[in-house]
Amino acid sequence: MEKNDSKKKKFAIVLLLLVVACGFYFVSGTYAKYTRALGGSDTATVAKFSIDASGLDKAQNASINLFDTVKEADTTTDEENVAAGKIAPGTGGSFTTTLTNKSEVDVKAVVTLKETSNTSNIPIEYSLDKTTWKKATDITKEVNLDYTGKTSAKTNENVTIYWRWAFDGDDSADTTLGEATTAPTVTTQVTATFTQID
């Protein structure tokens, strides 16, 4: 029986040594390796979109002064033969808006003109250069504007729309307009639409 006990003791000692050796192996493996965490972060800021067109507003209902200062048909010489605030054959005028890009992106601005009312067909012509005269529906100008701070930036530009009462050789039609019981009117709308250039 002592022999059996001795074998059991030897087996227990070997088993204990094996458990201790395994423990050292696992513990030494835990403490003997390199470890390092690497990372990074970034924050994006949205680019500002800020534009302006002098004389116009976001609601698109600003009262512009296209017909306020009546000139001769050359749109330059003061008109002295027609009551203030009225238009007649041979008169003209202009409206200038300054397009401004205060954004942090390049933009394209499109200026358009339309007659919202001209039921009596007053023969008004419009121009962007005082040379080529067109109907209101054909008046469109595109302007590219750079973002603020861009090297050699062009961030604003003036756009002038000219008008004149066209001489079409039919004085009787003009006279009919002038003799109407209720004075005919023409109403125009100028719109500047800004779009980011991507």
Side-chain angles (χ1 to χ4, degrees):
M1 195 159 176
E2 278 184 35
K3 218 176 187 187
N4 239 354
D5 284 338
S6 172
K7 281 184 180 181
K8 285 184 182 178
K9 283 183 184 178
K10 284 183 185 178
F11 179 74
I13 290 173
V14 170
L15 184 61
L16 183 61
L17 287 173
L18 186 60
V19 168
V20 170
C22 285
F24 278 131
Y25 173 78
F26 287 116
V27 169
S28 67
T30 302
Y31 293 109
K33 58 184 169 185
Y34 296 123
T35 180
R36 171 75 61 215
L38 301 176
S41 67
D42 193 10
T43 301
T45 303
V46 174
K48 180 171 77 169
F49 184 67
S50 177
I51 47 84
D52 187 51
S54 62
L56 307 177
D57 64 11
K58 287 182 183 177
Q60 299 183 34
N61 61 4
S63 178
I64 62 173
N65 61 357
L66 181 64
F67 298 114
D68 284 358
T69 305
V70 178
K71 305 282 187 179
E72 294 284 351
D74 65 6
T75 70
T76 305
T77 309
D78 287 338
E79 175 59 73
E80 298 177 357
N81 303 312
V82 177
K86 305 293 181 175
I87 65 172
T91 59
S94 65
F95 166 73
T96 300
T97 182
T98 301
L99 308 175
T100 305
N101 182 17
K102 298 178 273 185
S103 303
E104 295 173 322
V105 295
D106 291 344
V107 298
K108 175 176 74 172
V110 179
V111 177
T112 57
L113 173 77
K114 69 177 179 179
E115 287 182 349
T116 56
S117 173
N118 189 356
T119 55
S120 297
N121 295 317
I122 302 170
I124 302 294
E125 295 177 322
Y126 303 89
S127 178
L128 293 168
D129 59 9
K130 291 184 12 175
T131 301
T132 306
W133 295 89
K134 303 175 180 180
K135 294 181 179 183
T137 53
D138 299 325
I139 297 297
T140 300
K141 179 157 186 167
E142 290 187 12
V143 175
N144 288 338
L145 299 172
D146 299 321
Y147 65 83
T148 302
K150 188 174 186 177
T151 306
S152 302
K154 179 182 82 168
T155 58
N156 60 57
E157 185 169 325
N158 291 335
V159 175
T160 301
I161 298 171
Y162 302 93
W163 69 270
R164 71 181 182 186
W165 185 312
F167 286 116
D168 60 3
D170 186 0
D171 291 344
S172 63
D174 293 339
T175 302
T176 300
L177 290 169
E179 292 178 339
T181 304
T182 301
T185 60
V186 57
T187 304
T188 60
Q189 182 175 15
V190 175
T191 304
T193 304
F194 293 81
T195 306
Q196 174 193 345
I197 297 173
D198 57 356

